[in-house]
Amino acid sequence: MRVNFALFEEVTQLDLTGPFEVLARAPGFQCELVAKTLAPVRSDRGLGLLPTRTLADAGPCDVLVVPGGPGADAALGDPEWVAFVRDQAAQARWVFGICTGSLLLGAAGVLQGRRASSHWMARDLLAAFGATPMPDRMTQDGKLFTSGGVTAGIDMALLLVARVLDKAAAEQIQLQIEYDPDPPFPGGTPATSREEIVQRCVAAGSARRALREAAVQAAAARLGT
Amino acid sequence: MRVNFALFEEVTQLDLTGPFEVLARAPGFQCELVAKTLAPVRSDRGLGLLPTRTLADAGPCDVLVVPGGPGADAALGDPEWVAFVRDQAAQARWVFGICTGSLLLGAAGVLQGRRASSHWMARDLLAAFGATPMPDRMTQDGKLFTSGGVTAGIDMALLLVARVLDKAAAEQIQLQIEYDPDPPFPGGTPATSREEIVQRCVAAGSARRALREAAVQAAAARLGT
């Protein structure tokens, strides 16, 4: 099982590193980080990650993983990234969109007529690409797995291992990474967080939201949805 | 708040990248990855991470984060890493050991007479360094925060943000990263996993366990505990 992770500048690194930790532990899975060049790529918070393949020599994959972050908004408008995701998604057995990575899948035309999840602050924008936005933490529609923000990619990667291999393989990884989560506070979704916290997130994300809306509108216009 | 992450070869990357995603979002926190040189470092599963500082020029920190993984066992026997962790822990306001990173804290003499957590397959080894092994996912003993395996570092980083800043800051990050975890299966601890799964993990980890025991015994002998 070859897994290609899309690695663009200003990715939200945990969208990628969470599923990587799970999938790289699955027997027979080989994980590659695919970027424009082999130069280190910086996450939105400055973590430097090293690509292993370029877009040109990525080769086909069984699982395509598209993380999100501010960089996904830029990638929506980048013909090289859009073509890469479109072509890789067409031949992959499974396609994974985490957080706002699902917007990039949308811009590549992969989500037309499909149900999909995304980060709660961006989920409604999926409709611009002909998708039905789902409020769920994980949505499976055929070979498409899409998830909510950041940490949801860990849950979804475990589910994928169970589907592709078997449940015991996923449970073994879950125990290896001691994944019995215990968040110190209630919250983590707009429904479970205090209203004050939701408002703080929306305010802190308003500039990003405006950039994202513009990027999505332009990408949807090019796609013709 | 300056945060120094110890970055050694064969680190379990999610031990580091999970807390990094949380701490790098906290207002006023600056995260640095400290390694022997500025050359890329490979995780135990092949993810390449880029250091930002060397051991020699790391400078003092407010928060020291020590991740685990097979590389932590090698670092236990490496005088440069042991001295770095000892010196940084002595002056830090908060010290963080994730997964088997707490063994490296132990080898640096930081855990003598203290309560500490670690990965469930390594927890008992903390006693060799004069610590009291705790079965909890997170243990706070004064300025020392130690956790169980891998994903526990995310929970613990949220707790640290709440302690250092305030609860609302931690809740805001929790909502940004949509941390309302929903593992697809029960499990994630030896108590909640099926016995067959626990046995598979123990069998798969037996060679690593033997290496780790030897490394801990040698490090404890050097420390004189």
Side-chain angles (χ1 to χ4, degrees):
Chain A
M1 293 289 293
R2 169 70 172 276
V3 186
N4 282 351
F5 289 80
L7 176 58
F8 38 76
E9 292 291 332
E10 294 206 72
V11 66
T12 293
Q13 57 89 9
L14 191 55
D15 288 6
L16 184 155
T17 52
F20 186 100
E21 190 67 51
V22 172
L23 299 179
R25 288 170 182 263
F29 281 53
Q30 185 198 336
C31 294
E32 303 284 351
L33 303 194
V34 184
K36 286 203 165 186
T37 72
L38 293 179
V41 170
R42 292 276 164 197
S43 83
D44 56 355
R45 307 282 166 171
L47 188 83
L49 292 162
L50 215 65
T52 59
R53 303 266 176 173
T54 65
L55 297 183
D57 72 359
C61 64
D62 300 287
V63 183
L64 172 68
V65 183
V66 182
D73 302 338
L76 293 180
D78 182 329
E80 277 187 89
W81 273 115
V82 170
F84 173 78
V85 169
R86 182 191 62 224
D87 296 347
Q88 291 261 313
Q91 53 74 39
R93 289 170 56 192
W94 307 94
V95 176
F96 234 57
I98 296 139
C99 194
T100 57
S102 46
L103 296 178
L104 181 49
L105 289 175
V110 175
L111 300 184
Q112 294 189 43
R114 313 297 286 270
R115 291 173 292 111
S117 293
S118 187
H119 192 283
W120 64 273
M121 287 201 282
R123 188 194 297 146
D124 59 304
L125 299 174
L126 290 168
F129 299 119
T132 303
M134 303 295 288
D136 307 295
R137 186 164 172 85
M138 298 181 268
T139 295
Q140 185 186 352
D141 185 345
K143 75 178 191 180
L144 294 174
F145 286 70
T146 50
S147 82
V150 196
T151 55
I154 299 172
D155 300 330
M156 199 164 65
L158 287 167
L159 191 64
L160 183 74
V161 171
R163 288 270 199 285
V164 174
L165 298 176
D166 56 43
K167 182 164 167 267
E171 289 177 278
Q172 184 174 344
I173 293 168
Q174 187 176 350
L175 182 52
Q176 282 173 347
I177 64 171
E178 218 160 328
Y179 191 49
D180 179 36
D182 183 22
F185 315 107
T189 71
T192 54
S193 286
R194 295 187 287 134
E195 181 56 26
E196 173 203 342
I197 301 299
V198 176
Q199 290 311 320
R200 282 171 62 151
C201 278
V202 169
S206 64
R208 169 54 46 196
R209 170 75 195 197
L211 291 168
R212 184 166 284 149
E213 280 179 15
V216 165
Q217 283 165 16
R222 281 189 296 273
L223 190 64
T225 46
Chain B
M1 293 288 294
R2 169 72 172 277
V3 186
N4 283 350
F5 289 80
L7 176 58
F8 39 76
E9 293 291 332
E10 293 206 73
V11 67
T12 292
Q13 58 87 9
L14 191 54
D15 289 5
L16 184 155
T17 53
F20 185 101
E21 190 66 51
V22 172
L23 299 179
R25 288 170 182 264
F29 281 53
Q30 184 199 338
C31 295
E32 303 284 352
L33 303 194
V34 185
K36 287 204 165 185
T37 73
L38 293 178
V41 169
R42 292 276 164 196
S43 82
D44 56 354
R45 306 283 166 172
L47 188 83
L49 292 162
L50 215 65
T52 60
R53 303 267 177 172
T54 65
L55 296 184
D57 73 0
C61 64
D62 300 288
V63 183
L64 172 67
V65 182
V66 182
D73 302 338
L76 292 180
D78 182 329
E80 276 188 89
W81 272 115
V82 170
F84 173 79
V85 170
R86 183 190 62 221
D87 296 347
Q88 291 260 312
Q91 52 72 40
R93 289 170 55 192
W94 307 94
V95 176
F96 234 57
I98 296 138
C99 194
T100 57
S102 45
L103 296 178
L104 180 49
L105 289 175
V110 175
L111 300 184
Q112 294 190 42
R114 313 297 285 270
R115 290 172 292 111
S117 292
S118 186
H119 193 284
W120 63 274
M121 286 201 283
R123 188 192 298 147
D124 59 303
L125 299 175
L126 290 168
F129 299 120
T132 303
M134 303 295 288
D136 307 296
R137 187 164 171 86
M138 297 181 270
T139 295
Q140 186 188 353
D141 184 344
K143 74 178 192 179
L144 295 174
F145 286 71
T146 50
S147 82
V150 196
T151 57
I154 299 171
D155 300 330
M156 198 164 65
L158 288 167
L159 191 65
L160 183 74
V161 171
R163 288 269 199 286
V164 173
L165 299 176
D166 56 43
K167 181 164 167 268
E171 287 177 280
Q172 185 174 344
I173 294 169
Q174 186 176 352
L175 181 53
Q176 283 172 346
I177 64 172
E178 218 160 329
Y179 191 49
D180 179 36
D182 184 22
F185 315 107
T189 70
T192 54
S193 286
R194 294 186 288 134
E195 181 57 25
E196 173 203 343
I197 302 300
V198 176
Q199 291 312 319
R200 282 171 63 152
C201 278
V202 170
S206 65
R208 169 52 47 194
R209 170 75 195 197
L211 290 169
R212 184 165 284 151
E213 281 180 15
V216 165
Q217 283 166 14
R222 280 189 297 274
L223 190 64
T225 47

